[in-house]
Each structure stands twice: as C-alpha cells, then as structure tokens.
Amino acid sequence: MTESFGDTLVTYLRARFPLVVVTTVEETRAVEVIAAAAQETGRRCVTWDIGGGFGSLSDGPGSSGGPVPSITDPAAALEHIIRTSNDDMSVYVLKDFHEFWKDVLVKRRLRNAAQALRRKRATIVVTEVTGKVPRELTDEAVALEFPLPTDEELARTLDQLARQAGVKISLTPLGRSKLVRAASGLTRVEAERALSKVFVTDRRVDDNTIDVINEEKKQILRETQAVEFYPAHETPDDVGGLDVLKNWLRLRERAFSPEAAEYGLPAPKGIALVGIPGTGKSLTAKMIGGLWRLPLLRLDVGALFGSLVGESEERVRTALRLTEAIAPCVLWIDEIEKALAAGGLDGGTSMRVFGTILSWMQDKTAPVFVVATANDITSLPPELLRRGRFDEVFFLDLPTERERRDIFTVHLAKRRRLPAEFDLDRLAKASVGFVGAEIEQAVIDALYGAFADDGRDITTHDVMGALARGVPLSRSRREVIESLRDWLRQGRAQSASFAEKTLAESSFVPFEID
C-alpha cells in the first residue's frame, strides 16, 4: 500500500469527508489502496462502473452489508447512495466518473450526494484521469493525485515476477538499485510489462535490463510533441576537452542512488551551459545521459506554444508532468533563451511559459537533472542563472590548443581514421579560433575532397586545406564572441575547461596557416 496516500485517505475517511476525487491511470492499484483504507476504518468498499453497476469488495463491521443493487445508470446509482446514507458505512468507488462531468443531471446528483453525506459515515471516492474537477464540485470535493509506485513497490514487483517466471537476477546491489531507479516513473502495469519482456527474451535480469526499461519509458512520451526521447550513447571520450565539467559530472554519477540519499546528499538539480555556439553544449547534454545511464529527454521550447488561449501553459505543464513521471532522467532544454523570443508581443504568453519552467525548476522534488543550454546570454534574466535552480553555471569557451588536439582525435577516430597517422599538433596550432563543430566540419570537408580524388585516404594536408578555406565564428562574429568571453572574465560562471580560468592561451589570435 502506498503509505503517504493511504494515510491521507484514512484521515479523510475518519474526518467524514463526503467526496474525494482521485486522479490516476492505475485504477486497479488505486482501488486496492482505497479498499485497504476502508478496511482500516471499519467500512466496506463498494465499487461502481457503468458496465457492471455496484460490486462489493469488502464488508466493514458497521456497514449495512447485504447484496448491492444492479444499477448501471450513474444518476440512479447516486440516488441510491443518497437514500441509504443515514445508516451506511461504505466507501463507494465510482470508476471513470469524469465521463459524466458534462451531464448536468449527474453532476447535480453528485453534488446532492456530497451534501447528504456530509458528517456521515459513507464517503464517495471518484476515480478519474483528467485531473480536472468541475467548478460546481470544488467546494464539495477534495482532490488527490494517486502517486506512482515507490522504489520499494517496484523492487517487490521485480522479485515477485522473477520468482514466478523462474528467472535469475544477476545484479550487484548497485545494479539492482539502478534498475529499480530506471523503473521509477512507470506504473505497476508498465513495469510488469517491461520486465516480462526481459524474462521472455533473456531469461535473466542484468544491467542490459535498464535499456529495456528505458524503451518502455520512451513510449510514454508519445503523449506530447514537446518532449522528445533522445538515445544517449555518448561517453566522455566522445567529447574533447572540458575536463572540469567532466570531473564535476563524474563526482555526481551515483548521486541518484539510495546510498547517496542515506549519506545525506540531495539529488543534483542541474547545470546551465552557456557560451559560444558550436563548443559542444548539446553534445555534453547527450554525454550526461550516457555517462549516468539515465533517459535523456529534450524539451522543445518552440513546440510548447499553441494558438489557443491557455494552450501553451497547459502544454508546458503536461510536458513537465510527463518528465517527472519518467524520472530519474536528464531533461535537456536546448537554447532556453528561445522561451523569451517573443518578448511582449504575444500577450505575455512566453513570459508565463518561462515563469512556469522557472518555478518548476526551483520547486521540483522529482529526480530530474536539468541541462539548459544558451547561446545568447544577453536575453536571459538574472533569476534564471542564480543558485537554487542550477547547481553550477559552466561557460564553454573557445577550445585551447590541447582541447583542439583532443577534438581532432575524437572526430578522426569517429570516422574510422587512426589519429596517430596525423600531425595533430600542427592541426591544433592551425585551428586557433575554431570551435568543436567547425573542427568536425573541417574533417568532413577533407573527407569529401579525398573521396572525390579517387577515394584516397585523407592526410594532414587535406585537413589543413579545409581549415584554410573555413572562416571560424570567432572571426566572422568577433564582437559577439568577445562580449561572451567578457561575461566569463567578470566571474559570472565557471569555466568548463579550467579550474582557475585564464584566457591567455585561449584568447583570440588572428588566423594563419602554414
């Protein structure tokens, strides 16, 4: 039984609340908890649905007992509850009652029933999935959201299914913790479905099971176009440089584990990656998901805005609710400054959407690690980057010579070339002012040229030629880049590359080629 929800419901029953509305998609599990709460308070639990009418789940010592009537009409069912309310001690669970919210007669009868049951021993519990209570009922009803299974419940589900299927669990304590954490955010049925799939195919539970669980979570995201599931296979080796940032992430790799919580560590909230375009901010977000073996979700800020009044705000709430359902996860908000792109020309919608995201980042308790990237820091309000919303703000600068050498190594190896066959020092010196994306493009351009020349392999000279033809952003937009780097010099962020930032080595030098 879900302890916090069950205890709350028991309190409401003992306080004789007449109407409780429970929002959940887990009807079976919710009814189990409601029936347990009814039994604890000495009441019988009676369910009702339009297909089968009334059905008794349990009898309480003080209930009227006896057979329940076969009434399938919702208005008649409510009338029956009103007629028997004087000496009744039942908890009536009305399933899918949100389907009748627009029926004026049913809504009036439900309101009458709530008023008739006030201070009596019978209670109506409505289960529904919309999360919306009609305005006429808000004064009569208390609304509760049924929580998803806890880690303890998911662990019991894993053990129970494994025993039933005769499947071996080959996991270390840490691996088991990671698996249960990966299943967090799924309903019990969803978790059972994902685990059953593993039992049928592999006949064992190991670290690979986490990937299957994440695939199950991916299906949940089909409810919204604003959140996209990203496969995250990148590792720190796929990102050149950024040593300070990588070390920061490695120290927090186990931060979402129960051991960390027992130690007294709070789950990290997130980081902001600001700086020069093309320096690897998006790649870093993908790398975090791969390093921590967590689902990576990308929030498309542009897809949050709709044309109808209130639609944008509802979309952002839905997206954030789904994100929390999938937690623990990494939420990547790419180019977060786009949320403010409309300024005041959209009736304040962008400000409300942005405010909703900010409030959620500040108050969220779900283990969602936010990675927000930004190129245009001038459009960001100061309250976004303050401590409390992010654990750290990192600035991604122009790569140093050593970092450029690492970046060449990554991209040559990625295209099945041996980095040792290239003069990496010469390439690093020749690419002063180039960001990672521009270095990658230089390697690709060299490959195109060599492929057109009878498919020969590329050489250092080919890459040098591609660099010579390229115009780096640090030259074409020198003023913009320098203003960004001035922002770092003012001490507003931590460098992703240096523990103590000095710009001497990485400052802009006019481009020259041998």
Side-chain angles (χ1 to χ4, degrees):
M1 175 171 156
T2 305
E3 191 171 286
S4 59
F5 179 88
D7 288 347
T8 300
L9 186 57
V10 165
T11 300
Y12 287 163
L13 295 180
R14 286 178 173 157
R16 302 188 183 186
F17 280 39
L19 179 59
V20 179
V21 179
V22 177
T23 302
T24 180
V25 295
E26 295 190 88
E27 182 182 274
T28 301
R29 184 169 151 262
V31 171
E32 290 174 2
V33 175
I34 295 167
Q39 186 176 24
E40 185 174 338
T41 56
R43 293 164 169 82
R44 73 169 177 169
C45 185
V46 179
T47 63
W48 180 92
D49 63 70
I50 195 171
F54 286 104
S56 181
L57 287 180
S58 64
D59 288 328
S63 68
S64 58
V68 291
S70 56
I71 302 174
T72 56
D73 179 75
L78 290 170
E79 189 61 32
H80 167 76
I81 294 173
I82 295 173
R83 285 199 310 268
T84 61
S85 64
N86 285 333
D87 55 354
D88 193 8
M89 289 180 61
S90 298
V91 175
Y92 291 96
V93 183
L94 309 183
K95 300 178 181 178
D96 293 332
F97 227 64
H98 61 282
E99 298 291 349
F100 310 112
W101 284 155
K102 293 183 180 179
D103 188 314
V104 176
L105 175 60
V106 172
K107 195 160 48 177
R108 181 67 256 181
R109 286 271 175 88
L110 182 57
R111 195 172 184 183
N112 290 345
Q115 293 169 357
L117 297 181
R118 190 173 296 154
R119 308 311 302 170
K120 296 183 180 179
R121 300 296 298 273
T123 297
I124 296 174
V125 179
V126 171
T127 63
E128 58 90 43
V129 298
T130 65
K132 297 178 181 177
V133 179
R135 180 66 185 88
E136 300 91 325
L137 296 173
T138 54
D139 192 46
E140 313 289 349
V142 59
L144 295 176
E145 187 165 345
F146 188 66
L148 290 165
T150 63
D151 287 353
E152 291 77 12
E153 290 176 289
L154 291 170
R156 288 197 296 269
T157 299
L158 169 64
D159 292 335
Q160 182 180 1
L161 287 178
R163 281 196 303 270
Q164 291 173 352
V167 172
K168 181 181 179 182
I169 300 180
S170 304
L171 288 170
T172 64
L174 179 60
R176 179 185 173 86
S177 172
K178 285 186 175 182
L179 175 59
V180 171
R181 187 182 65 193
S184 178
L186 297 178
T187 66
R188 186 172 67 189
V189 171
E190 289 167 342
E192 289 174 350
R193 184 166 58 229
L195 291 169
S196 297
K197 191 186 305 181
V198 174
F199 296 162
V200 170
T201 55
D202 295 341
R203 303 296 303 171
R204 63 183 293 161
V205 178
D206 54 24
D207 287 339
N208 293 328
T209 307
I210 295 176
D211 296 330
V212 179
I213 296 292
N214 286 338
E215 273 300 311
E216 188 68 27
K217 286 187 171 182
K218 184 176 180 180
Q219 306 307 315
I220 301 176
L221 295 179
R222 292 182 176 177
E223 294 183 31
T224 176
Q225 297 178 344
V227 182
E228 181 181 0
F229 190 99
Y230 256 73
H233 305 298
E234 285 79 2
T235 68
D237 292 335
D238 297 316
V239 181
L242 308 183
D243 290 341
V244 171
L245 174 56
K246 289 178 182 178
N247 289 335
W248 191 94
L249 294 170
R250 287 191 182 99
L251 284 174
R252 289 156 179 79
E253 185 175 354
R254 297 174 55 205
F256 294 103
S257 66
E259 293 80 7
E262 277 187 34
Y263 189 76
L265 285 175
K269 288 192 171 186
I271 56 174
L273 304 177
V274 299
I276 299 168
T279 48
K281 295 186 289 294
S282 299
L283 182 61
T284 299
K286 298 176 186 177
M287 180 260 287
I288 296 171
L291 175 65
W292 289 355
R293 295 291 300 274
L294 291 178
L296 174 63
L297 313 180
R298 179 178 176 271
L299 180 64
D300 185 351
V301 175
L304 292 174
F305 294 94
S307 57
L308 302 178
V309 175
E311 185 179 6
S312 301
E313 293 86 342
E314 180 60 29
R315 283 186 183 182
V316 71
R317 284 192 294 267
T318 299
L320 297 177
R321 187 165 57 246
L322 281 172
T323 300
E324 290 190 333
I326 291 173
C329 61
V330 177
L331 179 64
W332 168 26
I333 308 178
D334 198 20
E335 299 184 5
I336 194 171
E337 68 269 25
K338 287 183 178 178
L340 295 172
L345 303 179
D346 58 356
T349 299
S350 61
M351 294 300 296
R352 288 193 297 272
V353 167
F354 191 71
T356 300
I357 294 174
L358 286 185
S359 298
W360 173 81
M361 289 171 59
Q362 178 70 35
D363 301 331
K364 67 180 172 67
T365 56
V368 178
F369 186 81
V370 177
V371 181
T373 67
N375 293 324
D376 183 9
I377 55 176
T378 60
S379 64
L380 295 178
E383 61 267 25
L384 170 64
L385 300 179
R386 71 171 174 80
R387 293 275 182 163
R389 292 195 172 95
F390 295 106
D391 299 308
E392 191 61 77
V393 179
F394 285 100
F395 185 88
L396 279 70
D397 197 2
L398 294 174
T400 65
E401 182 176 320
R402 183 179 61 81
E403 287 179 319
R404 295 195 298 273
R405 192 182 192 283
D406 291 343
I407 295 170
F408 274 113
T409 299
V410 167
H411 289 298
L412 289 169
K414 186 176 180 181
R415 286 153 185 88
R416 300 189 298 277
R417 294 327 190 258
L418 292 175
E421 295 180 353
F422 293 81
D423 189 344
L424 297 175
D425 290 332
R426 186 182 177 201
L427 291 174
K429 285 183 171 61
S431 55
V432 173
F434 280 68
V435 296
E438 293 165 338
I439 290 174
E440 179 183 17
Q441 192 57 49
V443 173
I444 293 173
D445 289 346
L447 284 167
Y448 272 115
F451 182 74
D453 189 10
D454 295 328
R456 64 176 177 79
D457 208 353
I458 62 171
T459 65
T460 299
H461 182 75
D462 295 319
V463 182
M464 292 287 288
L467 291 171
R469 292 188 295 272
V471 179
L473 194 66
S474 59
R475 177 185 294 175
S476 62
R477 302 192 65 190
R478 183 194 300 256
E479 295 78 8
V480 174
I481 300 303
E482 281 305 312
S483 67
L484 285 171
R485 303 179 80 197
D486 282 341
W487 190 80
L488 173 63
R489 290 188 185 99
Q490 295 167 15
R492 300 188 183 184
Q494 180 177 349
S495 169
S497 302
F498 299 98
E500 294 183 5
K501 181 64 187 172
T502 59
L503 292 177
E505 194 277 337
S506 61
S507 57
F508 177 75
V509 176
F511 179 77
E512 293 180 359
I513 191 168
D514 295 341

